[in-house]
Amino acid sequence: MNTPHSLLASVFGFSAFRPGQEEIVDAVLAGRNTLAIMPTGGGKSLCFQLPALCRDGVTVVISPLIALMRDQVRALREVGVEAGALTSGNTDDETEAVFQALDQGRVKLLYMAPERLASPGTLGLLRRIDVRLIAVDEAHCVSQWGHDFRPDYLRIGELRRTLDVPLAAFTATADEETRAEIVTRLFDGQAPATFLRGFDRPNIHLAFAVKDTPRAQILAFAGARKGQSGIVYCGTRAKTETLAQALREAGHAACFYHGGMEAEERRRVEVRFQQEDGLIVVATIAFGMGIDKPDIRWVAHADLPKSIEGYYQEIGRAGRDGAPAETLTLYGPDDIRLRRSQIDEGAAPADRKEADHGRLNALLGLAEATACRRQVLLGYFGETSPPCGNCDLCDRPVDVFDATEAVRKALSAILRTGEWFGAGHLIDILTGTATPKVKERGHDQLPTFAVGRDLSKPAWGAVFRQMMGRDLVRPDAERYGALRMTDAARPILRGEQSISLRRDTIQSAGARPAVKSLVSDEDAPLLSALKAKRRALAEAVAVPAYVIFTDRTLIEMAERRPRGLDDMAHITGVGAKKLESYGAAFLAVIHGEAEALHPQRRRLAGRDAGAVFDRLAEVQVQLMRGLDGTGKPLSLPQGSLRKIAEARPSTLSDLDRVGDLGPQKIERFGEAFLAVLRDA
């Protein structure tokens, strides 16, 4: 009889389980619903592959990326296990071979992407081939709180109920909130057998650096490791291509990988990376999830990742063989601004946006750490450890200073302005910069005005960044990025607790080149919200976003913040038709609610006739019952008021003709209306 121990040795060639594997295998083999959180490189795949070989029937493996599935199928076939994958990257011959093997009952593990569950024929296929177990790899993708949400993962729970088979879910990163959602969505809230293994990867050296000359920094890092396999992660597709070219020009074997490439091109890169020694792949996060290449010696981030979970996943692709590996993550104000805007422009509800800002704060806390990075990283996942001796801060301790007074000044400025403003405006107050916005709101009269002149604006920016990294303040998505104080900051504000910050990032802030952005930091969150509204409106009518409004128009809205439709009409790119169609919707984004105007008045928005209409309407209300207030109520249709405001007649007869008033209304309103028109 095949046992996990015998198959571990005879099929996979291992003499013993890694720590934590055996009890997970036992739980899955016993048919228990299982959730296992194990570090990257900890041997997750064996925990469902071994039970699949010990059980009758087929184990279907839901996996998020074609590259991951191809890797595991290839590896299984190499050790004599019949496995197949049904993916969009298959050739017709490959798909036919998989179906033939399924019909002949030879397949033990069938891999497919969650998107395939939407196909009407999938359920019938899975019933026909006698599926006995569902394994879900990268299960954090099921969670809206995780860093890689995939909506099609939501079908898996229904599939488990329909097939009535046990389910085993695996992931390398899942904080408490993400784990709770996995249990809800995959297991209907019924607690599975849960195994939480340590997150530490002690062989990986951790390092961060503030961006100075980013391309040169990456080239220098790669140059010191020439001939070693590595991955460089970038925030944009275009950057992967330009940086790969720069690496090739520097003498490295390098190629790029991103989601905009044709499937065959991506496949060629995956095969090259598996087969070639010393190849560098410059990629977006589309590359590498589950890539089982054991000898990746380094991972660099040319841009700040999206979250601490994403960072952990991506660096975890290095050193899976247990040998030493290195990492470098570059970050700067432009990265933080980009990541904040991506959160704010998303369609997520406000509570999720707040949680995502908290996750970004945690990553900033790791980037701006004052002592051992591994302690900070593991602390995020609920683990403790002594200083690791294998990170840049253990190698070279940083210079810190008592920043309690500076932080208290910043918190005071936040509270005295009602937690309604972002860092840019707060820094203007602290440095005594009397901008029109500061003076308009009377903030130049606050006690905190100019109390922070001892630090430059860039240095104050570094202070606020480190405050976010400690989660003392968070951007409030509902207030367009206004900083809100957290409970963690209260003891510091009250003088009950001190705080130390890094002096080096504050001192280097002044020397860092300014990043040209579309709008000021103060207006960026509102611009993100306006873009989100534009995207929603564009999707509703299936047109490109720029057809609604161009970026230039939204930027002007964010900077000028029109107070009503009259103001909105003066924004570049807002014509009469678009004002009527979209004006109220965008005003609602800017001010929380739209100005309620009669449709006839709305047609005059932004024109001088609008003010004339308003005055005529006021006079009409005053004279509705005559001068003495006892007459029969009389009024004109709003359309008549609009016509009068536009035509501006100068005599009673012209007024009667334009507005169709009649004798009674001419007597009641005529002279008063003409007086308004003369004044206009």
Side-chain angles (χ1 to χ4, degrees):
M1 175 183 173
N2 288 328
T3 67
H5 276 279
S6 66
L7 291 173
L8 183 68
S10 64
V11 175
F12 296 100
F14 299 125
S15 59
F17 285 105
R18 295 185 190 181
Q21 282 183 319
E22 186 171 11
E23 55 187 326
I24 297 172
V25 168
D26 289 343
V28 176
L29 192 54
R32 299 171 66 189
N33 286 329
T34 304
L35 171 60
I37 298 96
M38 306 171 69
T40 301
K44 295 190 300 297
S45 56
L46 268 180
C47 293
F48 58 81
Q49 290 171 350
L50 274 174
L53 300 184
C54 293
R55 298 171 65 101
D56 293 331
V58 176
T59 292
V60 61
V61 184
I62 310 296
S63 189
L65 285 181
I66 293 173
L68 181 153
M69 292 185 269
R70 286 189 176 280
D71 266 0
Q72 294 201 4
V73 168
R74 187 184 299 117
L76 286 166
R77 288 177 176 170
E78 284 294 319
V79 296
V81 175
E82 190 69 55
L86 293 175
T87 79
S88 59
N90 283 13
T91 64
D92 290 343
D93 288 344
E94 287 173 334
T95 298
E96 180 59 35
V98 173
F99 279 122
Q100 186 175 358
L102 287 169
D103 289 338
Q104 294 171 355
R106 291 187 283 113
V107 173
K108 293 299 294 180
L109 292 107
L110 175 65
Y111 287 77
M112 61 176 56
E115 288 76 11
R116 198 172 188 93
L117 300 181
S119 172
T122 298
L123 181 59
L125 168 69
L126 297 181
R127 280 179 165 152
R128 179 169 58 82
I129 63 175
D130 189 26
V131 171
R132 299 290 186 91
L133 172 68
I134 300 171
V136 181
D137 209 358
E138 309 294 349
H140 58 269
C141 296
V142 79
S143 171
Q144 299 206 41
W145 305 104
H147 67 279
D148 246 337
F149 178 57
R150 297 274 286 265
D152 285 285
Y153 266 72
L154 303 183
R155 303 177 188 273
I156 299 173
E158 181 181 349
L159 179 67
R160 179 187 64 82
R161 292 188 293 272
T162 302
L163 295 179
D164 192 24
V165 297
L167 186 148
F170 300 84
T171 182
T173 55
D175 59 19
E176 188 173 346
E177 200 165 25
T178 303
R179 292 198 296 270
E181 192 171 1
I182 291 172
V183 170
T184 299
R185 294 189 182 278
L186 293 186
F187 302 103
D188 297 330
Q190 301 298 312
T194 302
F195 302 90
L196 181 59
R197 297 294 155 235
F199 287 94
D200 194 12
R201 296 284 305 283
N203 62 310
I204 298 179
H205 184 275
L206 309 178
F208 281 72
V210 173
K211 285 184 178 179
D212 183 7
T213 50
R215 179 177 295 189
Q217 287 170 286
I218 293 295
L219 289 174
F221 187 76
R225 293 150 186 84
K226 197 159 189 176
Q228 298 180 358
S229 293
I231 303 174
V232 182
Y233 285 107
C234 298
T236 66
R237 295 174 178 180
K239 193 168 184 177
T240 67
E241 299 184 15
T242 58
L243 192 50
Q245 179 63 30
L247 284 163
R248 285 194 295 271
E249 291 172 357
H252 298 276
C255 55
F256 61 85
Y257 185 106
H258 57 67
M261 298 165 62
E262 293 295 329
E264 188 55 38
E265 290 181 275
R266 293 201 303 270
R267 188 172 178 181
R268 278 199 294 268
V269 174
E270 292 161 7
V271 171
R272 279 191 67 189
F273 193 58
Q274 288 290 349
Q275 295 178 351
E276 292 184 26
D277 290 330
L279 182 67
I280 299 171
V281 175
V282 188
T284 59
I285 60 170
F287 180 76
M289 187 186 291
I291 291 291
D292 193 18
K293 183 178 172 69
D295 58 348
I296 300 170
R297 295 272 62 88
W298 58 269
V299 170
H301 284 90
D303 302 297
L304 190 72
K306 291 183 177 180
S307 67
I308 203 164
E309 291 93 345
Y311 167 79
Y312 179 82
Q313 278 272 0
E314 288 148 24
I315 65 167
R317 284 148 200 166
R320 295 177 68 152
D321 55 4
E326 297 176 277
T327 68
L328 173 67
T329 301
L330 302 182
Y331 69 103
D334 52 332
D335 294 306
I336 300 164
R337 189 182 300 116
L338 171 66
R339 296 308 186 196
R340 295 283 187 216
S341 67
Q342 287 175 334
I343 294 170
D344 291 334
E345 289 175 31
D351 56 348
R352 182 184 165 195
K353 287 183 178 180
E354 182 180 359
D356 286 343
H357 279 302
R359 285 180 165 81
L360 183 56
N361 275 2
L363 183 58
L364 292 180
L366 181 61
E368 300 277 6
T370 57
C372 176
R373 292 198 194 278
R374 189 164 266 98
Q375 287 182 315
V376 177
L377 179 61
L378 295 179
Y380 177 81
F381 293 111
E383 295 185 14
T384 58
S385 75
C388 70
N390 196 30
C391 72
D392 55 341
L393 299 184
C394 285
D395 297 340
R396 296 178 302 280
V398 296
D399 182 20
V400 298
F401 73 104
D402 185 346
T404 307
E405 194 58 34
V407 170
R408 290 182 70 188
K409 289 176 182 177
L411 293 172
S412 177
I414 290 171
L415 291 180
R416 289 182 183 276
T417 54
E419 298 182 298
W420 271 104
F421 297 91
H425 185 74
L426 297 167
I427 290 170
D428 285 337
I429 294 171
L430 290 164
T431 56
T433 307
T435 65
K437 187 174 179 180
V438 168
K439 290 192 289 187
E440 178 185 329
R441 290 164 173 78
H443 292 164
D444 55 338
Q445 304 302 313
L446 292 174
T448 46
F449 185 75
V451 297
R453 280 180 168 162
D454 54 319
L455 292 177
S456 66
K457 284 190 175 185
W460 270 114
V463 169
F464 275 98
R465 191 172 66 242
Q466 292 190 60
M467 289 171 63
M468 291 183 208
R470 303 294 186 86
D471 209 30
L472 304 179
V473 294
R474 284 189 184 185
D476 187 336
E478 292 189 321
R479 298 185 181 193
Y480 307 122
L483 292 181
R484 183 172 47 78
M485 191 176 77
T486 68
D487 290 341
R490 299 190 186 281
I492 298 172
L493 185 67
R494 293 194 295 259
E496 300 167 359
Q497 186 177 311
S498 62
I499 183 171
S500 295
L501 297 181
R502 290 177 58 161
R503 194 188 302 277
D504 58 333
T505 57
I506 290 175
Q507 289 175 336
S508 65
R512 197 174 306 149
V515 178
K516 180 66 175 174
S517 59
L518 292 175
V519 294
S520 68
D521 285 353
E522 191 70 26
D523 295 325
L526 176 55
L527 178 60
S528 296
L530 292 169
K531 285 184 175 181
K533 170 57 73 173
R534 178 180 67 177
R535 184 182 66 245
L537 291 170
E539 288 175 352
V541 292
V543 299
Y546 66 81
V547 171
I548 305 296
F549 286 127
T550 64
D551 279 357
R552 179 187 174 191
T553 298
L554 297 190
I555 289 167
E556 193 172 330
M557 286 185 198
E559 291 176 337
R560 292 176 54 180
R561 305 194 181 207
R563 296 185 180 277
L565 288 172
D566 286 332
D567 289 346
M568 180 70 84
H570 294 294
I571 297 292
T572 304
V574 182
K577 175 63 174 155
K578 288 191 176 182
L579 182 69
E580 181 179 350
S581 300
Y582 307 120
F586 282 88
L587 280 175
V589 172
I590 296 168
H591 298 294
E593 60 181 26
E595 177 185 33
L597 286 184
H598 191 282
Q600 296 292 339
R601 173 61 176 86
R602 192 177 298 145
R603 293 172 65 177
L604 303 178
R607 296 163 54 189
D608 292 341
V612 177
F613 179 103
D614 293 340
R615 184 66 187 125
L616 291 172
E618 290 173 9
V619 168
Q620 177 180 250
V621 171
Q622 293 167 3
L623 298 178
M624 187 174 291
R625 286 185 173 273
L627 286 172
D628 59 3
T630 61
K632 174 186 175 182
L634 294 175
S635 64
L636 277 69
Q638 298 282 295
S640 295
L641 291 181
R642 178 182 61 79
K643 291 175 182 177
I644 293 168
E646 288 180 314
R648 303 195 187 190
S650 57
T651 65
L652 288 175
S653 60
D654 286 345
L655 178 65
D656 186 18
R657 177 179 53 79
V658 170
D660 191 23
L661 273 67
Q664 286 184 304
K665 293 178 182 177
I666 281 287
E667 183 179 354
R668 177 76 59 88
F669 302 115
E671 291 298 338
F673 278 5
L674 289 177
V676 169
L677 296 170
R678 283 194 296 270
D679 290 344

